[in-house]
Amino acid sequence: MTPTPTATLVARDWAEIQERMLVPLYEAVYDRLEIGPGDRLLGLDCGAGLPLLLAAGRGAVATGVEADPARRALARERLLEVLPAPPAPPMASRPYDVLLAFSPAPAALARAQSAVRRGGAVVLADWGPAERCTVPAVLGGGPVPRDLDALVERAGLRPDGSGRVFCPFGYADVDSAVRGLLSTGLFDGAADPALAEKELAEALHPFERPDGAVWLPNIFRYVIARVA
């Protein structure tokens, strides 16, 4: 499938503006798991591939899964291996050590975790407490954090720790903030996209600094579990 021009522009906004906002989360998880040479990592919903690049920079072998053709194309431009869907269980000698699966659909998680070795790590993450996250308030309620512990239990995984990471969303100006937040897909169901964009810009003004920059503090929570 060839991405449409609009889809490509949105994907580039994700890659150039929004994707980096989660770097503190990726780095915290990789530090905790001591990701390094020899580790094999599978990133579910890897976007334009930034989490894979960060893992590869530590010496890991990183593969991604991304359903969106435009984001997948950008990841491949970075010379990354990115698949349109989770792979079938690999040969016994080639399982993954880590599955990075932030906010996954249960079916996708079930298929992807089957490719992880016994004892391997599965990492889930989502928004932290509502009172510590600015973006959901800007979105007028926004996404409701998933119960990651319940998701771990339903998936038959063994809990192995959790943590919280400060991930501020910082933008050069309101226009960049609007483009970045629209690229997340949180507004894809809006009946009137132009109106949604206008309302988002208005909602961001209280978070605009004197120099025009926009600053949205957030806390993300992650959970590490092990494949039994």
Side-chain angles (χ1 to χ4, degrees):
M1 180 185 299
T2 301
T4 66
T6 299
T8 298
L9 288 174
V10 171
R12 288 203 175 275
D13 282 343
W14 170 263
E16 295 172 3
I17 300 174
Q18 191 63 34
E19 194 172 30
R20 61 185 171 83
M21 305 302 175
L22 295 180
V23 166
L25 177 59
Y26 299 137
E27 295 286 17
V29 168
Y30 292 166
D31 284 345
R32 183 152 180 173
L33 293 176
E34 299 182 338
I35 296 297
D39 289 326
R40 299 189 72 243
L41 180 142
L42 177 62
L44 194 61
D45 298 326
C46 69
L50 183 56
L52 307 184
L53 285 174
L54 295 174
R58 293 169 176 252
V61 176
T63 301
V65 176
E66 176 54 56
D68 181 75
R71 293 189 186 188
R72 193 166 65 245
L74 289 177
R76 286 175 173 168
E77 285 181 12
R78 292 169 163 173
L79 303 180
L80 297 170
E81 181 183 359
V82 181
L83 311 172
M91 299 292 290
S93 61
R94 299 293 295 169
Y96 291 95
D97 301 296
V98 178
L99 171 63
L100 198 65
F102 294 176
S103 302
L109 174 60
R111 182 175 178 185
Q113 77 182 57
S114 68
V116 180
R117 65 172 174 81
R118 179 174 296 181
V122 176
V123 184
L124 309 176
D126 212 325
W127 299 96
E131 66 274 11
R132 302 289 303 278
C133 294
T134 307
V135 169
V138 170
L139 301 181
V144 177
R146 298 190 187 195
D147 186 338
L148 300 178
D149 301 297
L151 188 56
V152 165
E153 183 177 359
R154 288 197 300 271
L157 299 166
R158 175 171 56 85
D160 191 30
S162 63
R164 293 183 178 182
V165 183
F166 180 53
C167 290
F169 288 12
Y171 307 92
D173 50 38
V174 170
D175 178 66
S176 295
V178 169
R179 288 167 54 202
L181 291 170
L182 288 177
S183 75
T184 64
L186 296 173
F187 295 85
D188 287 355
D192 186 340
L195 178 60
E197 183 174 344
K198 179 177 181 293
E199 292 178 344
L200 176 57
E202 292 174 351
L204 288 168
H205 282 304
F207 303 94
E208 191 175 1
R209 293 183 165 185
D211 63 357
V214 175
W215 186 253
L216 304 173
N218 302 287
I219 295 289
F220 279 76
R221 179 174 184 255
Y222 69 84
V223 171
I224 296 174
R226 298 284 174 176
V227 176

